[in-house]
């Protein structure tokens, strides 16, 4: 049995680019919210952790689909940006559906955080399914 490492450079490229795109998404998302998730999480706020985790998962699902289907790096980046836009739209929808969302997360009110996470994950899975050629 021969083990080939021929695909290793492509694997590393797509892995690093995927991680960078997730970091970019998180950086933008943290700026969009009215509350400071990182400080809240460090302070033990479970709602902030659930909300942020749900949004990262909601972005990661279509990103994974885009990586699997990408014909090139620019193709991957275009689909990742589309997934980001969907997630930011989902956050906007959650803010409409859950009045005073940021205040509720700051107060560690789990139902609001869970709903935000569910909206984000559903948006992400729908976006990923829509990327199917």
């Amino acid at each position: 049995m021969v083990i080939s490492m021929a695909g290793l450079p492509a694997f590393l490229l797509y892995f690093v680019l995927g991680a960078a795109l997730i970091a970019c998404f998180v950086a933008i998302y943290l700026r969009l919210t009215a509350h400071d998730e990182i400080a809240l999480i460090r302070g033990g706020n479970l709602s902030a952790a659930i909300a942020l985790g749900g949004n990262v998962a909601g972005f990661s699902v279509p990103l994974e689909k885009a990586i699997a289907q990408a014909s090139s790096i620019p193709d991957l980046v275009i689909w990742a940006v589309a997934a980001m836009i969907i997630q930011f739209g989902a956050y906007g929808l959650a803010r409409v559906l859950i009045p005073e969302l940021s205040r509720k997360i700051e107060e560690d009110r789990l139902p609001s955080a869970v709903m935000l996470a569910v909206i984000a994950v559903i948006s992400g899975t729908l976006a990923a399914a829509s990327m199917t050629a």
Side-chain angles (χ1 to χ4, degrees):
M1 177 190 217
V2 176
I3 298 175
S4 173
M5 298 299 284
L8 185 61
F11 163 79
L12 290 173
L13 175 63
Y14 279 88
F15 184 86
V16 170
L17 183 56
L21 287 164
I22 291 170
C24 180
F25 170 79
V26 170
I28 295 169
Y29 178 80
L30 292 175
R31 294 201 182 268
L32 286 177
T33 61
H35 51 279
D36 185 349
E37 282 91 347
I38 302 304
L40 291 170
I41 292 167
R42 286 180 179 155
N45 185 308
L46 181 58
S47 293
I50 289 170
L52 179 59
N55 276 278
V56 173
F59 172 67
S60 295
V61 172
L63 175 63
E64 292 162 7
K65 181 75 167 185
I67 289 170
Q69 292 187 175
S71 60
S72 64
I73 297 300
D75 185 44
L76 167 60
V77 172
I78 289 168
W79 285 110
V81 169
M84 282 186 199
I85 292 168
I86 295 294
Q87 285 306 303
F88 299 145
Y91 176 70
L93 174 64
R95 288 183 55 127
V96 169
L97 295 175
I98 307 166
E100 301 183 26
L101 177 60
S102 286
R103 182 182 58 77
K104 291 175 180 175
I105 289 173
E106 288 172 343
E107 293 173 355
D108 204 6
R109 293 172 61 186
L110 287 175
S112 298
V114 170
M115 276 310 302
L116 172 56
V118 167
I119 290 168
V121 170
I122 288 171
S123 298
T125 56
L126 183 58
S130 299
M131 289 180 185
T132 302

